[in-house]
Amino acid sequence: MGLLDGNVIVVTGAGRGIGRGEALECAAQGAAVVVGEFDPDAGKAVADEITAAGGRAVAVIGDVADAAVADSLVATAVGEFGALDALVNNAGILRDRTVAKLSDEEWDDVIRVHLRGHFLPTRAAVRYWKEAKRPGHVVHTASTSGLLGNFGQANYGAAKAGIAAFSTIVAMEGARGGITSNAIAPTALTRMTLDLMPEEFRAEREASIARGEFDFFAPENVAPLVAFLCSDASSHISGKVFGVQGDSVEIFQPFTSVAEIRNDGKRWDPEDLPGRIDELFDAAGVQAGPENMMERMRYQILAGR
């Protein structure tokens, strides 16, 4: 008996890396899986891997930021397996560059694949659940680049911050119908990040794996939390953002007001603020200038990024 026995789950970007691990784990937990993937060979390979292991899977090939493709993911789940119980939004791309060097296309492509690529499948799934009067679960993929910021990732970070906000709002809107919506901010080494690693880090990791040690940054480590969030065992959890990496699961607290200054019931004069605004930083223990919030992460792959 698996945690997802009898369930039907769509996973986007499931051909490689984190998405592949999520698809395989959901299948291992008993779910039928719709493998959403842009690359036909990669998508078919994961679906075949699941069926070869005795599971049920079908691949849907196409751009998840295309409404017709997004709708077909849900239609395929219902048509092939009779229902949809959960959606995992994972598809994404990187186009890293500083703002001054970032092209229009690099901005638009990343925002489109991540934000639109989360919105369209979620809309299709929520419409299905509301019309069928069924509960459902959505798991979105945010990032610490959006929650904390990361140098050279303005497009990616903006999209991922938007995804965290989107997830929170979907949770609010779906609560009455039993639709949960949570986001993860995973840390893992995938095809998108591996080439960014220093050579000595990669060599050390490969040696550790060869010794049979736990591979902390393996993308498959993200999957167990995602499988849980797709299950009815997580029905009481919604609107949250979890960090997940290695053997660690953590929870992020959203933006919260931590200090305040007031002007005795009068409109502020701009000339008064220079002498008062620093009270906020002092009270909250917040640095006035830019910070590298990534340095506060418990687990880092890209030191200095």
Side-chain angles (χ1 to χ4, degrees):
M1 295 289 289
L3 195 62
L4 298 171
D5 274 350
N7 286 10
V8 181
I9 298 178
V10 169
V11 182
T12 72
R16 297 183 178 87
I18 291 173
R20 174 181 175 274
E22 292 165 342
L24 295 177
E25 183 65 41
C26 287
Q29 292 297 322
V33 180
V34 176
V35 177
E37 175 56 46
F38 185 77
D39 183 328
D41 292 337
K44 186 176 183 302
V46 173
D48 288 348
E49 186 174 354
I50 291 171
T51 56
R56 297 181 298 158
V58 62
V60 172
I61 306 304
D63 179 358
V64 74
D66 182 308
V69 174
D71 290 344
S72 73
L73 291 167
V74 175
T76 300
V78 176
E80 291 286 331
F81 304 119
L84 175 67
D85 296 287
L87 164 67
V88 180
N89 287 313
N90 173 75
I93 61 172
L94 286 177
R95 299 290 185 270
D96 289 359
R97 215 174 298 279
T98 58
V99 169
K101 297 179 180 179
L102 195 62
S103 71
D104 294 355
E105 293 75 16
E106 288 166 335
W107 175 271
D108 290 343
D109 288 349
V110 169
I111 296 297
R112 180 180 185 275
V113 171
H114 287 277
L115 266 180
R116 184 177 169 88
H118 271 62
F119 159 62
L120 291 175
T122 301
R123 182 180 67 181
V126 168
R127 283 176 173 174
Y128 163 74
W129 289 323
K130 286 185 174 294
E131 291 170 3
K133 294 181 170 56
R134 294 173 58 102
H137 308 291
V138 189
V139 182
H140 310 272
T141 306
S143 170
T144 51
S145 293
L147 303 176
L148 305 176
N150 201 22
F151 186 95
Q153 290 194 315
N155 49 1
Y156 182 78
K160 290 303 192 180
I163 287 168
F166 177 69
S167 176
T168 301
I169 294 166
V170 172
M172 294 175 181
E173 295 179 352
R176 182 174 297 180
I179 298 169
T180 69
S181 174
N182 293 287
I184 62 167
T187 301
L189 286 170
T190 68
R191 186 180 60 147
M192 290 202 302
T193 58
L194 191 58
D195 288 343
L196 302 173
M197 298 303 101
E199 182 59 40
E200 61 271 20
F201 181 97
R202 279 187 278 176
E204 180 181 342
R205 177 175 179 247
E206 290 169 3
S208 173
I209 294 171
R211 292 192 298 267
E213 297 174 5
F214 177 55
D215 183 7
F216 188 91
F217 291 113
E220 293 79 11
N221 297 336
V222 174
L225 174 64
V226 171
F228 164 72
L229 292 174
C230 287
S231 76
D232 289 341
S234 71
S235 293
H236 61 298
I237 302 169
S238 195
K240 304 299 178 285
V241 180
F242 296 94
V244 55
Q245 53 281 307
D247 62 347
S248 170
V249 175
E250 55 191 333
I251 190 164
F252 285 91
Q253 189 176 47
F255 281 118
T256 303
S257 176
V258 293
E260 178 191 27
I261 55 173
R262 304 192 72 167
N263 199 35
D264 299 324
K266 297 178 293 185
R267 180 178 180 271
W268 283 98
D269 186 320
E271 292 184 357
D272 294 334
L273 286 168
R276 296 287 311 279
I277 203 75
D278 286 342
E279 295 175 24
L280 291 174
F281 304 125
D282 294 340
V286 172
Q287 180 177 310
E291 298 181 63
N292 182 357
M293 299 298 290
M294 284 289 189
E295 291 180 345
R296 301 186 183 186
M297 284 184 63
R298 291 181 176 87
Y299 311 103
Q300 296 187 54
I301 297 178
L302 300 177
R305 278 181 55 86

